[in-house]
Amino acid sequence: MAGEPQADCLFCKIVTGDIPATIVRETDTTVAFRDINPQAPTHVLVIPKVHYPDAAALAAADPQAMVDVLREAGVVAAEEKIDGHGYRIVFNTGAGAGQTVWHAHAHVLGGRGLEWPPG
Ligand code: AMP
Ligand code: ZN
């Protein structure tokens, strides 16, 4: 069924606790945890507990869950104190854009200069 956990999905396993992660926040619908390979002083991933392969699929199927992810990204940024300077929310979508995990996730990046346009 759409949104159901996938047995072979790394982030579904982080949701269930089968794979450990450094969790910084959890709500009824989301989990936020530190990226294992940080690209900035603050690099947190915010994921919905439901499984969809990317951000657009999530938004189409479960808009409230997408809003929850975005709200939590903002709360993480405030708690990490990167909201004053500014931070970036990134949804890599597709292999050519660097997506490697096929469970929708927001990267929350900050704590350093953030060039625009990104690479
Ligand atoms: P993306 O490349 O946009 O699909 O993002 C996937 C992110 O997940 C990468 O930044 C990885 O460093 C991160 N990642 C992969 N495995 C783990 C893990 N076990 N715990 C935390 N972050 C992870
Ligand atoms: Zn998943």
Side-chain angles (χ1 to χ4, degrees):
M1 211 168 90
E4 290 297 306
Q6 301 295 303
D8 58 349
C9 174
L10 174 67
F11 287 176
C12 282
K13 289 178 181 164
I14 287 178
V15 170
T16 58
D18 291 322
I19 289 179
T22 305
I23 292 173
V24 297
R25 285 186 58 80
E26 181 168 4
T27 68
D28 286 349
T29 57
T30 65
V31 182
F33 53 95
R34 298 203 184 277
D35 196 292
I36 205 168
N37 181 25
Q39 302 302 312
T42 291
H43 188 174
V44 172
L45 301 176
V46 183
I47 66 172
K49 290 185 173 177
V50 290
H51 176 98
Y52 289 95
D54 60 41
L58 174 66
D62 192 340
Q64 183 59 56
M66 185 56 161
V67 170
D68 292 348
V69 166
L70 287 170
R71 185 198 62 243
E72 283 300 302
V75 174
V76 166
E79 289 189 355
E80 298 280 319
K81 299 186 168 52
I82 58 173
D83 54 335
H85 173 79
Y87 61 96
R88 190 164 288 154
I89 301 173
V90 173
F91 294 95
N92 293 327
T93 304
Q99 188 176 1
T100 59
V101 178
W102 304 94
H103 178 128
H105 53 281
H107 296 258
V108 180
L109 295 151
R112 63 164 168 79
L114 294 166
E115 294 77 33
W116 188 261

